[in-house]
Amino acid sequence: MATRITQAEMSATQAEATREVVSYDPATGEEVGRVPLFATEDVARAVARARAAQKGWGALGFRERARVLMRARAFVLEEMDEIARLIARESGKPAAEAIAMEIVPTLDLMQFFARKTARLLRPERIDIGLYRFLGRTSTVEYRPLGVVAVISPWNFPWAIPLGEVVMALMAGNAVVLKPSELTPFVALKIGEVLARAGLPAGALEIVTGDGSTGAALTEAGVDKIMFTGSVATGRRVAEAAARKLIPVVLELGGKDPMIVFEDADLEAASSAAVWGAFANSGQACASVERCYVHERVADDFTARVVEKVLALRQAVGTEEGADLGAMSSERQLRTVEEHLREAVARGACVLTGGGRARGLPEGGAFHEPTVLTGVDHSMTIMREETFGPALPVMTFRDEDEAVRLANDSPFGLTASVWTRDIRRGRRVASEIEAGTVMVNEVLYTHGIAQTPWGGVKQSGLGRTHGRLGLLELVAPHHVHVNRLAFLGDVWWFNYTPGAASLFHSLARRFATGSLLQALLLSPQMLRRLRERKGQSSGRKK
Ligand code: NAD
C-alpha cells in the first residue's frame, strides 16, 4: 500500500533508529524502497574494501579500465528508459528531462574519459629553463590518489555522482560513493551497471545513509573528498577534511545571474530564461536564480517569459509530456514558499504562479513556476539560493550597473550574458565573478565533459570535469634527473668567499632566466667547481 509521508517528516532520528533510509517519490508520496543506513563501522569497512581493490584496479592500464567503463556505457544506453523512470521517481523531475540533462551528458562523459584519460594524464616533460643547461630534466607523472570519496546531492542523482565516479575510476582510484538520502536507488543503479560491466568488487563501494554516513566517510581516512551540496554542509566537510589534511573539492550552491542587454535576441533569451530557471523545477546549482534585464526591453522580455511559462505542462515526472515535475522534497518547496512570501510582503509583484500547483497528486511537492518583478537586493530571493521554480526579474540602466548587480552576491558559480554583440558579451563575461560565464547560453555546461566545472566565492573550491577536474583526482609525481652529478653543484657546501660572490652573481644573472646572462657567469661557475673539487680532494687526503 502507498505510504503518504513527506520526506521532511522522515527525521534523522527515525533513520538512526531503524538503521535504514526510506526513499519516497516526491510526486506521489509513495515509498520507492528502503536502503541500509551505513554506520561509522560499515563506512570504515567499505573504505578498507575500496583500498584493497584499488591496488589491482590502479595497476590496470587505461585501456582495460576504459573497456569496463565502455561496457557500462552500453548498458546505460540499453536501459536508458528504465533509468530515466527511476530518476523521475526518486527526484520528481520529468523522465524526458532525466534523459536530456543526466543520461545524455554522462554517456558523452563516459566515452570522453574512457578514450582520452590516457592522453590527458600522459607524463609531461617540464620546461625547467636554465636548469636544462646544467644537465637536468624534470618529468611529472600522474598517479592515482588511492580512495576517493564522492558525496553527492539529490538534484542530479545520476549525472553528478556518475561523472565523478567515472573520472576517478579512469584515473585509477577506487571510489566510495555516498549518495543523497533522497535518491539512494539511483546511486545503487550506478553501482549495479558498473559491477555488471566487470568493475572489480570493491573498486566502487556505495554507502547509503544520511548526513551521519557522509560525516563518517569524511573521517574514514580516504585520500580525497569530492563533495557536492550546500554551503553549510560543504563547510562541515571542509572542516573535517582540514583536521585530517585531506584535500577536498567543494561544488556548492549558486545564485546565478542572467543579464539581458537591450540588443539581445529577446525570443531566444526569454526561452533560455524559462528553461534556465525552471528545468528540474529550478533545483540546479546553475539555475537562473536572478534575471537582470535592460530597462528598455524589460516589458517585452517579461511578457514573453510569462507567455512561455503559461504554456508549460506540470505533471508527475513519469508522465509523458511533463515539462515540470514535482520538487524533490517538501522541505525544498517550503524554502521556495518562504522566499516568495517575504518578497511579496516587501512589495514584489507575482506575474504568474506564486503557490503550490493544483490538480496534481495530493501530497506531491509541486510548486508552480513563478515569475516576479519589483524585487531588489534586500530580499532573500535575490540573495540566498532559492533552489526552486522562481524567477525574479529586475531592471538595470547600463553595463556597469548590470555587472555590479551580478557581482553583488556571496556566490559565483555560473552567469549568463545575453547580447548580439559578442565582443560586449566577452567584455562583460570577463568582469563577472563566476567559475563559468556563458554568452547567449544558460545552465548547461555541466553537461560538457571537456570543460571545467566549479565556482568562486561561496560556490566552492576546485574543479570537476575537463582536464582540470581530472587533475583533482591524481597525485602529481615529479621525477628530477641530473645527468652531470659527477660535477657536483655550485651551491653545495662550503660557503667560501668565492661561493658567496657566485651566489650574488646567480641572483643578478642566472635568476633572470636569460641564457646570455647565464653564459656570462661561466668563468665564475667553473672557478667554483674547481674550488669545490679542491675542497673534496683536500678532504680525501
Ligand atoms: P546537502 O549539503 O544537504 O547534502 C549533500 C550531501 O552531503 C548528501 O549526500 C548528504 O547526505 C551529505 N551530508 C549531509 N551532512 C553531511 C556531513 N556532515 N558530512 C558529510 N556529508 C554530509 O545538499 P543537498 O540538499 O543534497 O543538495 C542541494 C545543494 O547542492 C544546493 O545548495 C546546490 O546548489 C548544491 N549543488 C551544487 C552543485 C555544484 O556543482 N556546484 C551541483 C548540484 C547541487
Side-chain angles (χ1 to χ4, degrees), residues 152-154 178 181 214 227-230 233 251-253 285 385 453:
S152 56
W154 43 262
K178 153 64 183 90
E181 48 274 49
F227 173 81
T228 309
S230 61
T233 313
E251 298 293 348
L252 310 178
C285 46
E385 196 177 35
W453 182 261

Side-chain angles (χ1 to χ4, degrees), residues 151-156 160 178-181 209-211 214-215 218 227-231 233-234 236-237 251-254 284-285 331-332 385 387 413 446 453 459:
I151 303 179
S152 56
W154 43 262
N155 62 335
F156 288 91
I160 290 176
K178 153 64 183 90
S180 166
E181 48 274 49
D210 58 12
T218 62
F227 173 81
T228 309
S230 61
V231 175
T233 313
R236 279 197 285 276
V237 168
E251 298 293 348
L252 310 178
C285 46
R331 200 178 75 178
Q332 198 56 46
E385 196 177 35
F387 223 57
L413 188 56
H446 189 267
W453 182 261
S459 289

Side-chain angles (χ1 to χ4, degrees), residues 422-501:
I422 301 297
R423 282 215 344 239
R424 175 196 225 180
R426 285 187 186 279
R427 183 175 67 234
V428 173
S430 73
E431 289 175 44
I432 292 182
E433 296 156 1
T436 296
V437 184
M438 289 160 267
V439 178
N440 298 330
E441 251 307 345
V442 285
L443 176 64
Y444 90 116
T445 64
H446 189 267
I448 309 177
Q450 293 87 341
T451 55
W453 182 261
V456 297
K457 302 198 270 189
Q458 290 196 12
S459 289
L461 302 174
R463 293 294 180 265
T464 60
H465 292 187
R467 181 157 192 269
L468 292 179
L470 199 58
L471 291 179
E472 299 276 5
L473 295 160
V474 286
H477 184 71
H478 173 202
V479 177
H480 184 76
V481 175
N482 176 12
R483 289 193 169 75
L484 301 179
F486 59 91
L487 289 176
D489 285 342
V490 293
W491 49 82
W492 288 354
F493 293 135
N494 293 84
Y495 299 148
T496 60
S501 154

Side-chain angles (χ1 to χ4, degrees), residues 265-418:
D265 176 340
L266 293 187
E267 188 49 28
S270 55
S271 295
V274 172
W275 184 72
F278 302 124
N280 200 16
S281 287
Q283 301 166 114
C285 46
S287 289
V288 174
E289 288 241 347
R290 301 177 281 152
C291 190
Y292 302 104
V293 190
H294 191 278
E295 58 184 7
R296 261 208 330 260
V297 294
D299 288 346
D300 188 355
F301 176 81
T302 36
R304 290 174 199 246
V305 165
V306 169
E307 187 190 329
K308 288 169 187 176
V309 170
L310 290 171
L312 296 176
R313 179 162 176 262
Q314 196 160 18
V316 173
T318 45
E319 266 180 39
E320 214 174 281
D323 292 311
L324 260 82
M327 296 191 63
S328 288
S329 71
E330 180 65 23
R331 200 178 75 178
Q332 198 56 46
L333 188 145
R334 287 190 199 135
T335 304
V336 179
E337 285 182 327
E338 271 163 37
H339 286 196
L340 285 173
R341 198 175 306 125
E342 191 228 37
V344 170
R346 284 162 164 264
C349 169
V350 173
L351 301 186
T352 180
R356 283 173 188 262
R358 281 178 289 271
L360 291 160
E362 191 205 330
F366 291 91
H367 194 285
E368 294 173 314
T370 300
V371 181
L372 60 165
T373 53
V375 290
D376 63 51
H377 280 207
S378 71
M379 299 174 183
T380 310
I381 203 159
M382 295 301 278
R383 304 209 63 79
E384 290 178 16
E385 196 177 35
T386 307
F387 223 57
L391 178 61
V393 182
M394 216 176 137
T395 59
F396 64 85
R397 274 194 212 100
D398 56 28
E399 200 172 297
D400 285 349
E401 190 185 13
V403 170
R404 190 175 51 71
L405 288 167
N407 287 341
D408 180 24
S409 170
F411 294 104
L413 188 56
T414 81
S416 152
V417 179
W418 288 76

